[in-house]
Amino acid sequence: MQYFIILMKLKIHNSMKQFLLNFIFTIGFVSLVSAQGYTTPDTGVSYYLDDLVTASPSTISVSGTTYTLIDDLIISATDTFLIDTDVTLEIGADVRITIFGTFNVSATNTVFTALDTNAPYEGFRFEEFSIINIQNSTIQYGGGLRVLTETFTINNCTITNNVSGISTGSVISLSRGMPQITNNTITFNETPAISSGATNDVSPYIFNNYIEGNNQANSNRPQINMGTTMTTEPIQIIQNTIIGNRNLTQVGGIAISNLLGGVVDAIIDDNIVKDNRYGIALLGDDISALVRNNVIEDNNSQGSPNLGGSGISLNASSEGMVVVATGNEIRGNLWGITLQGESSVNLGDNVDNIGENVFSQNGNGGVTYALYNNTDNAFMAMHNCWDEENVPNSIADAEAVIVHQNDISSLGLVTFDPVNCGFLSVDEALINQLVIYPNPSEGQFNLDNNNLFKQMNVYSINGQLIMKKPLEIGSNEMNLDLSSGIYILELEGEQAKAIKKLVIN
């Protein structure tokens, strides 16, 4: 009898245990389902926010023009997520939006923000083969944009106060293709502004963005940090303003590197790079770059010449680097241009490169260093103004601010004669009066208020001379047969030159 009672107790105990396990499993399963949020059914349907509210009210709700997303949202490969009216989407803590299909934001003012700014959402993940077009949006207090797709456009957006989340390398992290990043304001994010992986072949078009104070974590990374590029297309970093926060002493301006192998082909043109740890750095072998018409000033926030502070820094472990630098204004850095290892540069010759780089007040320890060739490679550096504060320069003036074979016998010789500061003497007011309109154009445009120039040379964005056109003093009607793209107009007079940009639709 006692044995029977014990046996019954054991059976009751085991039954209760199994019940509890089943109950716990059921609760856990319900929680797991809830945590999955909503996935569109992959049936080729386009969804607006109101459609998503109807499809999954436990995931997303609405009050007026404010929508609240409290769980993960996945847009499947054949489906489309559309926003074409001005709305605010508040997103809960750690919530992720993943796009396998199409995401098109075309309203005039869309805001993506955290439901609680102290609890960021995880961010956006754009899978390979997704189609992404984001216009006129504010993206803030999230974990960034992880861009795995080849088809990505973000234009006229404000991207600010984001943290490391779905994207860890930068607030916009790229993986492939030719993404278009244009006319945006990217500021004060915890991570750098734009990056790609060290071995991802990416050739983005980064145009006319205002970039300031990114990498608030103060890690040893620049605000634009790119790796290898596609073999068929260069990375283009054009007409951006990249301002550092001088309290962030580890953060550089622009860096492109291929230290793990691969090819770099880059155009870095007409940017303002200021108040970073360094200005522009090109690091690695098999690098080809055109560095043109950039203003590179006061990149010395760390203050240690042994660790950085160059306006332009080049470094390669083997010969073959092809860098052309022309028309840059390099002022107030710890070093003007530095070369390490087996790097090389063309700063001006009598064939293809007009030189016309301007140097001023670059130095450290009481010594001015416009150019430091710390390699055994010889290169050309003609027609530059080596000391803007001492115009006109003599050969001796240039020699005083260039470190090369004449100073240390093991270093390569820099050929810098002739020196030229004459292009600085033009009245800037006359140049500023020159008007080109419409710009962008279809190829037909007017060039008005021309008081200086007799010829216009048209170059492709990669520096190839396409055509020459005579100019009249006063007004000129131009009709150029050009493919769509960006072109450089070099205007020449007897004692004056100017550079303008022309966009052909």
Side-chain angles (χ1 to χ4, degrees):
M1 184 67 177
Q2 186 176 13
Y3 174 80
F4 176 78
I5 294 172
I6 293 173
L7 183 61
M8 289 298 294
K9 287 182 178 180
L10 285 172
K11 288 182 177 180
I12 294 170
H13 174 76
N14 289 335
S15 298
M16 182 62 69
K17 181 178 180 181
Q18 186 62 48
F19 171 80
L20 290 173
L21 287 173
N22 290 338
F23 178 78
I24 292 170
F25 176 80
T26 301
I27 294 298
F29 179 77
V30 170
S31 298
L32 180 61
V33 170
S34 175
Q36 291 176 344
Y38 179 67
T39 300
T40 62
D42 203 15
T43 53
V45 173
S46 294
Y47 291 86
Y48 293 89
L49 283 165
D50 287 335
D51 299 322
L52 294 172
V53 171
T54 300
S56 182
S58 63
T59 301
I60 185 168
S61 59
V62 61
S63 176
T65 59
T66 298
Y67 294 78
T68 302
L69 180 69
I70 62 170
D71 224 329
D72 292 348
L73 174 65
I74 299 174
I75 304 300
S76 297
T78 65
D79 297 332
T80 299
F81 182 12
L82 298 171
I83 300 177
D84 61 1
T85 57
D86 294 350
V87 297
T88 297
L89 178 60
E90 297 179 338
I91 306 172
D94 300 322
V95 170
R96 175 191 300 189
I97 297 176
T98 303
I99 309 292
F100 287 90
T102 298
F103 184 42
N104 188 11
V105 183
S106 59
T108 58
N109 184 23
T110 303
V111 178
F112 300 94
T113 190
L115 182 60
D116 177 355
T117 58
N118 294 313
Y121 58 98
E122 190 174 359
F124 295 83
R125 182 181 171 95
F126 303 125
E127 299 289 349
E128 188 176 7
F129 308 122
S130 64
I131 299 172
I132 309 301
N133 176 38
I134 305 173
Q135 304 281 337
N136 313 319
S137 299
T138 297
I139 301 172
Q140 60 186 13
Y141 300 110
L145 291 75
R146 183 75 174 94
V147 182
L148 302 171
T149 182
E150 300 88 344
T151 310
F152 174 78
T153 296
I154 186 164
N155 176 65
N156 194 36
C157 293
T158 297
I159 307 161
T160 188
N161 290 292
N162 293 281
V163 300
S164 178
I166 191 69
S167 179
T168 57
S170 64
V171 69
I172 302 176
S173 180
L174 308 172
S175 294
R176 53 178 55 86
M178 299 173 59
Q180 308 290 295
I181 304 172
T182 57
N183 308 307
N184 302 290
T185 298
I186 308 173
T187 56
F188 313 121
N189 297 286
E190 181 182 41
T191 59
I194 304 167
S195 72
S196 64
T199 58
N200 293 119
D201 296 338
V202 188
S203 294
Y205 178 57
I206 303 172
F207 175 75
N208 196 38
N209 300 282
Y210 182 83
I211 297 171
E212 180 183 359
N214 297 285
N215 193 359
Q216 290 282 311
N218 199 24
S219 62
N220 185 17
R221 290 182 289 178
Q223 297 197 67
I224 296 180
N225 188 23
M226 303 304 301
T228 56
T229 57
M230 299 169 62
T231 56
T232 56
E233 296 291 339
I235 177 177
Q236 298 180 63
I237 303 174
I238 299 172
Q239 205 170 312
N240 302 280
T241 298
I242 304 162
I243 307 297
N245 178 337
R246 298 192 66 84
N247 294 320
L248 303 176
T249 57
Q250 297 293 312
V251 183
I254 299 171
I256 306 177
S257 64
N258 60 350
L259 299 177
L260 299 179
V263 173
V264 165
D265 187 8
I267 297 169
I268 306 174
D269 188 21
D270 200 24
N271 301 282
I272 297 172
V273 187
K274 188 173 182 179
D275 287 332
N276 301 279
R277 176 187 165 196
Y278 54 84
I280 298 171
L282 299 173
L283 311 171
D285 303 331
D286 201 5
I287 288 179
S288 175
L290 174 61
V291 183
R292 178 176 56 191
N293 300 333
N294 300 283
V295 177
I296 307 167
E297 294 183 337
D298 300 326
N299 295 285
N300 54 16
S301 61
Q302 189 177 37
S304 175
N306 294 325
L307 299 176
S310 298
I312 300 175
S313 175
L314 308 175
N315 198 336
S317 61
S318 62
E319 294 186 3
M321 176 180 279
V322 181
V323 176
V324 175
T326 180
N328 300 287
E329 302 173 29
I330 304 170
R331 305 183 180 97
N333 309 284
L334 296 181
W335 312 88
I337 297 177
T338 55
L339 291 87
Q340 302 284 337
E342 293 295 339
S343 60
S344 187
V345 66
N346 180 340
L347 290 174
D349 55 35
N350 287 320
V351 182
D352 300 313
N353 183 1
I354 61 174
E356 295 190 355
N357 299 286
V358 180
F359 299 82
S360 178
Q361 297 182 334
N362 302 282
N364 61 84
V367 180
T368 300
Y369 297 102
L371 171 64
Y372 201 118
N373 179 23
N374 197 26
T375 79
D376 59 4
N377 295 319
F379 58 84
M380 311 296 281
M382 300 176 178
H383 310 296
N384 297 292
C385 185
W386 297 98
D387 184 359
E388 189 181 26
E389 304 299 308
N390 187 25
V391 174
N393 289 178
S394 66
I395 297 300
D397 292 330
E399 184 69 72
V401 298
I402 297 173
V403 177
H404 64 137
Q405 190 177 87
N406 291 348
D407 305 285
I408 303 172
S409 61
S410 62
L411 302 181
L413 181 69
V414 177
T415 301
F416 56 83
D417 183 15
V419 172
N420 179 19
C421 291
F423 57 91
L424 299 178
S425 62
V426 177
D427 188 342
E428 291 292 333
L430 293 178
I431 294 178
N432 292 335
Q433 288 175 7
L434 189 73
V435 178
I436 296 175
Y437 68 94
N439 190 9
S441 77
E442 304 296 328
Q444 297 80 36
F445 61 93
N446 297 305
L447 191 154
D448 288 353
N449 300 332
N450 176 31
N451 298 305
L452 292 168
F453 305 109
K454 295 184 177 181
Q455 180 171 292
M456 179 178 73
N457 303 321
V458 181
Y459 292 87
S460 67
I461 194 64
N462 61 4
Q464 180 183 2
L465 178 63
I466 297 173
M467 65 180 73
K468 296 183 178 182
K469 293 286 186 179
L471 295 176
E472 300 290 336
I473 298 299
S475 297
N476 295 261
E477 292 185 3
M478 312 302 296
N479 189 349
L480 307 183
D481 184 14
L482 296 170
S483 302
S484 61
I486 298 176
Y487 296 86
I488 305 300
L489 306 182
E490 180 185 59
L491 309 173
E492 291 186 328
E494 291 182 357
Q495 295 182 334
K497 283 187 179 181
I499 302 295
K500 298 288 183 179
K501 280 194 169 55
L502 175 68
V503 179
I504 300 295
N505 290 326

